[in-house]
Amino acid sequence: MGRLKNLPKGTSPKYTTPFHYYLFSISKPSSPPNSSSFKPSRNKPVINTITTTNLITLLLFVLFLLSFLLSHPSIFISNTSTSALQNTISMVPRPPYALISGNVNVSQQEMEFWRQPDGLGYKPCLQFSIGYRRASAKIAKERRRFLLVKVSGGLNQQRNQIVDAVVFARILGAALVLPLLKFNVIWQDNSEFSDIFDVDHFIRTLHSDIRIVSRVPPTHKIPRPSSTVHSSIPSNLSPLWIRSRFLKQLDEDGVLVLEGLESKLSKDLPLDLQKLRCKVAFHALKFSRQILELGKKLAERAGNGGPYIALHLRLEEDVWIRTGCSPGLGQPYDDLVAQHRTARPDLLTGKLNMTHHHRKLAGLCPLNTKTLTMVLRALGAQRDARVYWAGGKPLGGELALKALKDEFPKLMSKYTLAVDGELEIYENRSSVLAALDYIVALNSDVFVPSHGGTMGLAMQGHRAYVGHRKSVRPNKRGFAAMEMEEAGFGEMVRRMHKGLMGEPELRTQKTGRDVIAFPVPECMCR
């Protein structure tokens, strides 16, 4: 129910409910009676007549009000305002560093490189429908059915699956058990949800959407591992398919265990569920206090009072194996990757009959540091620019980074910025190390990924959500068709990337886009 607002003198209030009208009418002073014609009766006390009339009026109003409220139950359902939600964004980066226009020490090309894109007035906008909010009253109190989801992969794969787990629970009207993070065999990481994320913040932020519990209650029995649903889940799932497939099993068993949810949900969900995905990704999933504090320290050191670039390098050995591409470090490394690929052909993603050359022409290969360096210089990055590289240790070590370090001497990483053994406790915690990279990259003035993947898409969407910070999406297919040394290379690169610098871009312009990477128009409005 709305409230009467402070109004300018002489302005009549707007009655938002019958109750407001009643309050205003009984509080408004009546006109003074005409003394010459006003003669109270001696037989009927005026004051008693007025009191009786008011009581009858009040009784009739109360009956009307009860009828009105019972016919409008949505009044009782709170709806978090856009401004309130905006204040709960889980990780808000520092403002972009502003270069002073007209500085003789800064070239026009350099100014253009650091300039942030025009956000066109888009702001986070997560108003849920009345139907969604009505259903929330029951779903948020669910105590009979529970969904347990096992998530796998690196940090950003885990984040995507957690987002989808919340949506699954909402669709099924089930309480969500805190997701289980599976042991990562590749990185030997056995981190739990609470090691990476702020559990209390996660539960508190989503309390009006679903019920979240730390474990399955003792009144329910967890199904045997053989009952876990994973391989039978197809892709592009709709809410209708999910309900028809799992509701009966959930009602019978009380607990449903799901595994392997990554990229299973349809990218074109109903509007309220799209907004819920954004709410989970950008509001509920907040890193733990310890990780946030260290990440902010690293970001401050990376900037050191000025702007900096964050690169996400995908140069690890397993990346070259899975993409079917050559690392470009010479024959010994090419042979090493080819041997692993021959031994484990199941690791290769995409078409098996494509050669490295054809994959590169199709834009399927990560950019190595040589190409990435030329792209940065062509876009206007100066030699003295501070550059932070995020990612796992590259195949070839220093050799893989040599071209980048030769051109940008102020090259940094979490390993060079950390002091006093700050990273030692996270030696076998790849997800925590990736979270630190995430924080530093989010705070950067310019972000550039060498390859797409979940980190690049997550960072692109998050940077859009907090104000459309500059994020370059390299045109890998265009680079493969160009000769790097040809005349006019710089101008061609700049022309090729117009519109790919973090400007607002509608998700609906192309099919298959994820709302987490393209939050406009479902989650942001003007």
Side-chain angles (χ1 to χ4, degrees):
M1 188 180 294
R3 296 180 180 177
L4 284 174
K5 299 180 180 179
N6 295 327
L7 299 171
K9 189 174 180 180
T11 303
S12 299
K14 181 180 181 180
Y15 306 128
T16 56
T17 68
F19 187 53
H20 287 155
Y21 178 84
Y22 177 77
L23 284 178
F24 184 75
S25 64
I26 64 175
S27 63
K28 185 176 180 181
S30 59
S31 303
N34 187 330
S35 58
S36 61
S37 61
F38 180 70
K39 295 181 179 181
S41 171
R42 294 180 179 178
N43 299 326
K44 297 180 181 180
V46 175
I47 199 163
N48 288 345
T49 304
I50 294 174
T51 303
T52 303
T53 303
N54 283 349
L55 286 175
I56 294 173
T57 303
L58 180 60
L59 180 61
L60 290 173
F61 166 73
V62 169
L63 292 174
F64 173 80
L65 181 62
L66 286 174
S67 174
F68 177 81
L69 293 177
L70 288 174
S71 63
H72 295 78
S74 60
I75 289 176
F76 295 108
I77 304 174
S78 63
N79 181 27
T80 307
S81 67
T82 300
S83 58
L85 268 174
Q86 199 165 348
N87 292 333
T88 64
I89 295 177
S90 62
M91 290 175 285
V92 180
R94 65 173 179 81
Y97 188 84
L99 290 178
I100 300 175
S101 181
N103 190 330
V104 294
N105 297 320
V106 181
S107 67
Q108 185 61 37
Q109 192 178 31
E110 187 177 1
M111 286 288 296
E112 186 63 31
F113 178 79
W114 295 112
R115 181 177 288 118
Q116 297 298 315
D118 185 354
L120 301 180
Y122 280 101
K123 302 290 182 183
C125 185
L126 297 183
Q127 293 285 4
F128 293 92
S129 69
I130 292 177
Y132 179 93
R133 288 182 278 130
R134 282 176 176 169
S136 297
K138 178 181 179 181
I139 295 174
K141 297 177 181 178
E142 177 61 43
R143 296 180 178 275
R144 188 171 56 89
R145 301 178 299 181
F146 296 86
L147 174 65
L148 176 60
V149 175
K150 299 178 181 179
V151 304
S152 58
L155 173 72
N156 293 289
Q157 287 92 347
Q158 293 169 348
R159 290 180 81 253
N160 285 348
Q161 291 169 66
I162 293 168
V163 170
D164 289 354
V166 172
V167 178
F168 259 80
R170 175 74 194 198
I171 292 172
L172 294 171
L176 177 67
V177 183
L178 279 180
L180 294 177
L181 274 55
K182 293 182 64 178
F183 176 71
N184 194 310
V185 179
I186 297 177
W187 295 291
Q188 298 296 302
D189 188 348
N190 60 355
S191 298
E192 298 180 358
F193 188 96
S194 57
D195 295 328
I196 304 172
F197 303 104
D198 185 329
V199 174
D200 292 337
H201 178 85
F202 183 71
I203 295 174
R204 184 169 58 251
T205 304
L206 298 172
H207 80 280
S208 62
D209 302 280
I210 61 169
R211 182 169 179 247
I212 302 175
V213 297
S214 57
R215 59 180 63 86
V216 176
T219 54
H220 289 63
K221 183 179 179 181
I222 300 179
R224 297 187 304 273
S226 58
S227 300
T228 300
V229 181
H230 43 83
S231 59
S232 60
I233 303 179
S235 299
N236 200 32
L237 303 182
S238 68
L240 179 62
W241 189 96
I242 293 170
R243 292 190 188 99
S244 62
R245 171 66 176 81
F246 297 121
L247 263 183
K248 182 179 179 182
Q249 180 180 348
L250 186 58
D251 285 334
E252 292 175 351
D253 299 339
V255 179
L256 176 66
V257 182
L258 295 180
E259 186 176 337
L261 291 185
E262 187 177 9
S263 300
K264 298 295 185 178
L265 270 177
S266 168
K267 298 296 186 292
D268 297 304
L269 294 171
L271 182 58
D272 283 321
L273 295 181
Q274 297 284 57
K275 291 179 182 291
L276 179 58
R277 297 191 78 228
C278 290
K279 186 175 180 179
V280 181
F282 305 132
H283 294 269
L285 281 177
K286 178 182 180 181
F287 294 131
S288 67
R289 180 182 58 81
Q290 192 174 15
I291 294 175
L292 276 178
E293 288 179 354
L294 180 54
K296 289 178 180 178
K297 288 180 182 178
L298 297 179
E300 289 174 1
R301 296 168 194 168
N304 193 26
Y308 69 95
I309 307 165
L311 306 179
H312 184 230
L313 303 182
R314 299 306 314 277
L315 306 177
E316 301 94 330
E317 182 177 323
D318 69 295
V319 174
W320 296 117
I321 294 172
R322 286 188 291 103
T323 58
C325 300
S326 167
L329 300 175
Q331 197 62 41
Y333 290 100
D334 289 347
D335 291 343
L336 177 65
V337 170
Q339 289 171 9
H340 285 292
R341 198 176 295 142
T342 302
R344 291 289 305 277
D346 56 301
L347 296 178
L348 185 63
T349 56
K351 298 179 181 179
L352 299 177
N353 59 349
M354 290 180 69
T355 65
H356 156 69
H357 178 68
H358 288 109
R359 286 176 178 270
K360 187 175 181 180
L361 288 176
L364 300 176
C365 292
L367 299 180
N368 59 27
T369 55
K370 180 181 178 181
T371 304
L372 199 57
T373 296
M374 298 187 69
V375 171
L376 288 176
R377 290 305 306 269
L379 292 176
Q382 302 299 302
R383 179 175 170 79
D384 63 348
R386 300 178 65 82
V387 180
Y388 177 94
W389 71 268
K393 294 184 178 179
L395 175 66
E398 290 297 319
L399 179 61
L401 300 172
K402 186 177 184 305
L404 192 60
K405 195 168 186 178
D406 287 347
E407 193 63 37
F408 298 100
K410 295 180 180 179
L411 185 65
M412 310 165 286
S413 71
K414 53 184 172 292
Y415 304 106
T416 61
L417 292 175
V419 297
D420 302 327
E422 289 173 321
L423 296 183
E424 287 182 3
I425 59 174
Y426 304 127
E427 186 176 351
N428 293 321
R429 303 281 195 219
S430 62
S431 291
V432 175
L433 296 176
L436 296 174
D437 276 340
Y438 192 102
I439 296 170
V440 181
L442 183 63
N443 279 274
S444 67
D445 298 85
V446 178
F447 173 74
V448 187
S450 69
H451 195 43
T454 52
M455 169 67 167
L457 292 174
M459 190 56 55
Q460 171 187 308
H462 204 147
R463 289 172 69 86
Y465 198 75
V466 297
H468 286 95
R469 296 169 76 96
K470 195 164 192 174
S471 302
V472 181
R473 285 169 31 215
N475 188 333
K476 295 183 294 180
R477 183 180 298 179
F479 297 146
M482 294 169 58
E483 292 293 335
M484 298 298 181
E485 290 79 15
E486 65 180 302
F489 173 76
E491 179 58 34
M492 284 190 289
V493 170
R494 289 189 290 274
R495 189 169 60 249
M496 190 188 301
H497 288 84
K498 283 188 180 295
L500 298 176
M501 297 285 196
E503 299 89 347
E505 191 172 352
L506 296 181
R507 185 191 72 85
T508 50
Q509 284 183 346
K510 293 183 180 179
T511 58
R513 282 181 165 178
D514 192 337
V515 72
I516 303 304
F518 297 90
V520 179
E522 288 93 340
C523 302
M524 301 185 75
C525 56
R526 288 189 280 188

